[in-house]
Amino acid sequence: MGSWRVERLDQLPTALLATIMTKLDISSICSLAVTCRAFNSCASHILSFLPNFHILDISPSMELIKPLLPPNSHLQSLKLDCGQLNDSSIELLLRPSLQELCFHNCADFSGKLLSEIGSRCKDVRSLYLGSVAEKRGRAIHISDLEELLGGCTQLEELNLMFDLSLFLRHNFARVWALASKMLTSLEIGYISSVMVTELLSPNVGPHQYPNQIRPSILPAIQKLSLAVDYITDTMVGTISKGLTLLTHLELRDAPLIEPRVTFDLTNSGLQQINQHGRLKHLSLVRSQEFLSTYFKRVNDLGILLMADKCANMESICLGGFCRVTDTGFKTILHSCSSLYKLKVCHGSQLTDLVFHDIAATSLSLTHVSFRWCNLLTNHAIKSLVRNTRLKVLDLRGCKNLGDEALPAIGSLCELKMLQLDNSDISDVGIAYLRHGIISSLVSLSVRGCKKLTDKCISVLFDGSSKLELQELDLSNLPNLSDNGVLALAKSRVPISELRMRQCPLIGDTSIMALASMQADDDRGHGSSLRLLDLYNCGGITQLSFRWLKKPYFPRLRWLGVTGSVNRDIVDALARNRPFLHVACHGEELGTDPWNNIDSSYMHDYEELDELEQWLQEGEWESDDEEMEDAEDDADVVVE
């Protein structure tokens, strides 16, 4: 913002400035605050009556967040990454006026956070708590959960994203009897299937005569999402029978050992789904996280029995159904005329025949995912794209897909997300996307497509008109080199997430090119990247870390590097950029686009990140010197 513009805005009435600034998010308000004294004063004032305060892309400390959260009786929505906060910040954060609370990464809090929310935030309607008490030395007691459920009588949406199986089973159902009767949505990070069954079973209630049945717990629940140890017939039946208003059911398990028949899902369990006929969205997934295991007791008959009751389904996700063949999947496509989202993972018997007569269906699909369905070929995709309004197409792990499928995919003018990981496509085939969907795509992943080279970058992006692409995954491409990244930087595509892990030919030149990348004329110089994954890139040395510190990559929030890098340099970088999440152990960065909780906080930044500048003004010089000292002391090459 030019000085003459600031001077003119400086002359506007304070009330008008405040009205304008209240329409902005917190980071944008902080950006304005550093431009002139009038804006700074106005920003400090409006923080006392803003209704919403959302900062999820950085993890502020208590010292940094305190001046941003003055007394504010109008605050209704608070969303924070609490990675650097603990119980000492509870009094600052919790206000009686709050109706929406979303706290991520609460590992350093104890169960006191739950009990204090119950006593201080009695009007809260939506609550999300992630990773509570996961840090060693922190604990949650059943009494904390009791105070939360008993105190928050207006709760409509509850997300407890941590392990609830730690609570004693004999008290668990009794405590949930206190839950708000207005609760319509419940998500739990982990719970045992036995606890779910006992919670929802219509057993004899306390202080009742033997012939009296306990009234239904959670009578208003419409959406239920659970991660459990085992998805079982008993649990599915209890849920389907007890929750009469259920419209969304999402169940995911990750067995540690092969399930016995009494602790598994069978055709009988599938037959019990949707007993009340209201279900619109169903997800049943067996994860391969700990063990390569599947729903071996479900076959086509189970799917046929389920489909008979699911004609009004709009979204179905099935993962790990290894005995279901084309007959079963075809039944879903032809029975559910309102189906717009279909997701199949590890469909080992899914073949092209499923789509042979797809024209006989309603052709209403907009979101399709066939992950690790190895029998699918190009012919299947040619039939599938008759659903011309497809917006999401996820074909990760379909190894038999090649260049012949790309002309059909390229014809999908509304496609926003395309994932072709580990397919057999080449530079020649990728050219079919150049004059078609590339202008509409927001996310593209070609991870593990071994035939791709630097040429695929120039084919896709050279001379392109304005693109919407924000996420690009080029990981595990053995033939991608610095030349490809240079071509990407020259294209000036405003990418916010770039993944290049496991690329042996990527080196320091790529980092320098990205650091100086100009996204577009309106936003000035500086890379637009918010996420950069360089894990196990073969040519990265300590020189790259000079370009990863301030003021380069001003918007960067996530960085992945190899675990064997020089520890001193990494630590110095973390101190230089306290709001940068540095991952060194190969973990995936960011969030899954399919399950993005809240993208409303994503915004455009100026060339320098004024949020950091406003919170930490004056700390750059000492941090830079520390980085330089660490680089001087380094005597090993960063791998």
Side-chain angles (χ1 to χ4, degrees), residues 223-518:
K223 180 177 181 180
L224 183 66
S225 180
L226 306 173
V228 296
D229 48 356
Y230 301 99
I231 297 175
T232 69
D233 285 352
T234 303
M235 183 183 70
V236 168
T238 303
I239 291 172
S240 299
K241 185 182 299 182
L243 303 181
T244 60
L245 301 180
L246 202 63
T247 60
H248 292 65
L249 177 60
E250 300 176 4
L251 301 176
R252 176 182 180 274
D253 69 6
L256 292 172
I257 59 175
E258 192 65 38
R260 303 190 305 273
V261 65
T262 53
F263 269 83
D264 203 2
L265 181 67
T266 70
N267 291 340
S268 176
L270 283 185
Q271 189 176 7
Q272 299 179 67
I273 288 176
N274 201 25
Q275 293 188 25
H276 302 283
R278 291 188 171 90
L279 207 61
K280 299 290 186 183
H281 306 273
L282 173 66
S283 178
L284 299 172
V285 175
R286 174 148 289 173
S287 168
Q288 312 289 304
E289 185 175 353
F290 305 114
L291 182 70
S292 181
T293 182
Y294 303 88
F295 291 113
K296 297 178 180 178
R297 297 177 174 91
V298 173
N299 56 29
D300 290 336
L301 177 60
I303 300 297
L304 292 170
L305 294 170
M306 182 187 76
D308 188 48
K309 298 180 179 180
C310 297
N312 296 321
M313 284 282 196
E314 298 175 3
S315 170
I316 294 179
C317 174
L318 300 175
F321 289 81
C322 65
R323 294 185 60 200
V324 177
T325 72
D326 293 337
T327 300
F329 293 119
K330 203 169 185 178
T331 300
I332 292 174
L333 282 173
H334 288 261
S335 300
C336 306
S337 59
S338 300
L339 195 69
Y340 72 89
K341 181 184 292 186
L342 177 63
K343 184 175 180 179
V344 178
C345 302
H346 295 286
S348 55
Q349 298 196 55
L350 178 66
T351 77
D352 298 350
L353 292 177
V354 169
F355 312 104
H356 179 66
D357 55 352
I358 196 169
T361 71
S362 64
L363 293 176
S364 57
L365 294 174
T366 60
H367 295 63
V368 171
S369 174
F370 295 118
R371 297 187 191 179
W372 302 292
C373 298
N374 291 325
L375 298 182
L376 290 183
T377 72
N378 301 318
H379 298 291
I381 307 308
K382 292 176 182 178
S383 298
L384 179 62
V385 298
R386 292 191 179 188
N387 290 270
T388 57
R389 299 182 63 185
L390 278 174
K391 291 180 171 60
V392 173
L393 186 56
D394 181 355
L395 301 170
R396 282 179 272 186
C398 297
K399 298 181 179 180
N400 288 316
L401 296 182
D403 292 342
E404 291 180 29
L406 293 177
I409 294 173
S411 68
L412 297 169
C413 58
E414 296 185 34
L415 199 66
K416 298 295 182 184
M417 178 184 293
L418 176 61
Q419 293 167 309
L420 298 169
D421 301 18
N422 298 304
S423 62
D424 197 38
I425 62 173
S426 70
D427 296 335
V428 174
I430 208 88
Y432 289 109
L433 304 182
R434 170 66 180 82
H435 300 290
I437 62 169
I438 192 63
S439 60
S440 67
L441 279 181
V442 174
S443 177
L444 173 64
S445 178
V446 289
R447 177 183 295 204
C449 298
K450 308 289 188 182
K451 291 183 177 180
L452 295 180
T453 69
D454 293 335
K455 187 177 179 181
C456 76
I457 302 297
S458 57
V459 166
L460 279 175
F461 302 120
D462 274 5
S464 296
S465 56
K466 187 174 178 62
L467 302 181
E468 300 295 326
L469 195 67
Q470 297 176 20
E471 302 170 6
L472 181 61
D473 194 338
L474 302 172
S475 300
N476 197 17
L477 301 185
N479 298 309
L480 180 70
S481 73
D482 292 336
N483 290 331
V485 179
L486 284 168
L488 179 63
K490 289 178 182 178
S491 72
R492 300 166 63 182
V493 180
I495 294 172
S496 60
E497 297 187 8
L498 178 60
R499 292 171 171 85
M500 298 189 296
R501 55 169 45 213
Q502 304 282 0
C503 291
L505 302 182
I506 295 296
D508 297 332
T509 302
S510 292
I511 311 309
M512 288 186 275
L514 293 171
S516 56
M517 180 178 175
Q518 184 179 3

Side-chain angles (χ1 to χ4, degrees), residues 38 59 64 71 84 113 135 219 256-257 335 342 345 455 519 554 565 569:
S59 179
L64 298 180
Q84 294 193 61
L113 177 62
K135 188 172 182 179
L256 292 172
I257 59 175
S335 300
L342 177 63
C345 302
K455 187 177 179 181
V565 296
I569 292 180

Side-chain angles (χ1 to χ4, degrees), residues 175-190:
V175 168
W176 279 90
L178 301 172
S180 166
K181 303 308 177 187
M182 302 166 62
L183 194 65
T184 60
S185 177
L186 176 63
E187 182 174 10
I188 295 178
Y190 183 79

Side-chain angles (χ1 to χ4, degrees), residues 60-66 69 80 82-95 103 106-113 116 120 138:
S61 65
M62 179 69 165
E63 292 73 22
L64 298 180
I65 201 68
K66 190 172 184 179
L69 280 175
L80 285 176
C82 298
Q84 294 193 61
L85 303 178
N86 53 37
D87 286 353
S88 65
S89 60
I90 287 178
E91 188 171 351
L92 172 69
L93 300 179
L94 302 185
R95 319 286 177 91
F103 290 163
C106 302
D108 206 14
F109 284 85
S110 70
K112 182 181 178 183
L113 177 62
E116 289 295 322
R120 293 171 182 259
R138 302 288 185 256

Side-chain angles (χ1 to χ4, degrees), residues 579-591:
F579 300 131
L580 178 65
H581 302 272
V582 182
C584 300
H585 304 292
E587 57 268 48
E588 294 287 348
L589 307 182
T591 55

